[in-house]
Amino acid sequence: IKRQRKRPLTSTWYKDNNNKAKIKTFVNTVNNWFAKNVKVKTANRAVSVFKDYEDMFSTRANFIPINKRASNEFREIAAIAYLIDYNINPTIEQFFLQKDIKIDKDLFSLSGMIQLLWRGCIRDDKKMDVFIPSFRMRNLLYKWLMIQGK
């Protein structure tokens, strides 16, 4: 049986005990990004990661849950690290498939990330520093921004 490779920054990747050293290195990378590249107070920084892992990043930034919607609570956030490769829950996807409804997985992922980024100061047309280490998520945002710029 060929084992499917786990993509970095998915919930499965974070849960995999074989990734503990990688996660520790990743935490250091995120902390270094905040320390060396972000010129805003800690109160104006945020990370979005799965709830079980928020404590790893709490010394450098606030935590914004990945499912945070329609809130003004984080309006002053000027720097955010989006630390997940967001995917639809397979159980929810199966529910829709059983009803012959196909979900565009990339659009689902992108919409969740944009919703979260919009919680910050960008909604007030202010500059926001954004760190998106997931190649997939960064590429989805880049493609969307290119379409918006046309």
Side-chain angles (χ1 to χ4, degrees):
I1 297 174
K2 186 177 179 182
R3 187 173 165 188
Q4 188 177 14
R5 204 176 117 177
K6 295 176 184 111
R7 288 197 322 242
L9 307 182
T10 61
S11 61
T12 305
W13 182 82
Y14 275 102
K15 291 174 188 171
D16 188 339
N17 286 329
N18 294 323
N19 290 331
K20 286 190 185 281
K22 289 177 187 174
I23 291 171
K24 185 175 181 175
T25 300
F26 179 61
V27 169
N28 289 335
T29 299
V30 173
N31 287 337
N32 285 336
W33 178 76
F34 277 121
K36 295 179 180 175
N37 298 301
V38 175
K39 308 294 184 221
V40 298
K41 297 175 185 174
T42 303
N44 299 102
R45 300 174 181 178
V47 295
S48 188
V49 68
F50 299 104
K51 178 92 172 119
D52 292 344
Y53 305 96
E54 75 175 280
D55 291 341
M56 294 178 174
F57 303 96
S58 62
T59 60
R60 297 274 188 209
N62 297 293
F63 170 70
I64 301 178
I66 59 174
N67 59 351
K68 191 68 171 180
R69 304 283 187 271
S71 169
N72 291 323
E73 185 180 352
F74 300 103
R75 200 174 197 117
E76 299 301 316
I77 296 299
I80 187 165
Y82 190 80
L83 307 178
I84 58 175
D85 183 347
Y86 192 53
N87 293 286
I88 190 166
N89 181 309
T91 305
I92 294 171
E93 182 181 20
Q94 282 303 313
F95 170 81
F96 284 111
L97 286 174
Q98 288 172 355
K99 304 203 180 301
D100 291 327
I101 301 170
K102 188 173 183 333
I103 304 290
D104 182 326
K105 293 178 188 180
D106 285 345
L107 192 56
F108 176 86
S109 299
L110 176 64
S111 66
M113 179 172 52
I114 290 172
Q115 275 280 334
L116 191 117
L117 294 176
W118 201 253
R119 298 301 106 227
C121 70
I122 200 169
R123 65 172 42 201
D124 295 322
D125 203 24
K126 295 179 182 173
K127 179 186 174 228
M128 177 188 278
D129 292 309
V130 179
F131 179 50
I132 306 172
S134 165
F135 175 79
R136 175 178 168 264
M137 296 304 295
R138 188 171 57 248
N139 197 38
L140 288 172
L141 182 61
Y142 177 76
K143 286 179 181 177
W144 181 78
L145 289 170
M146 292 298 101
I147 291 169
Q148 301 309 308
K150 288 185 179 180

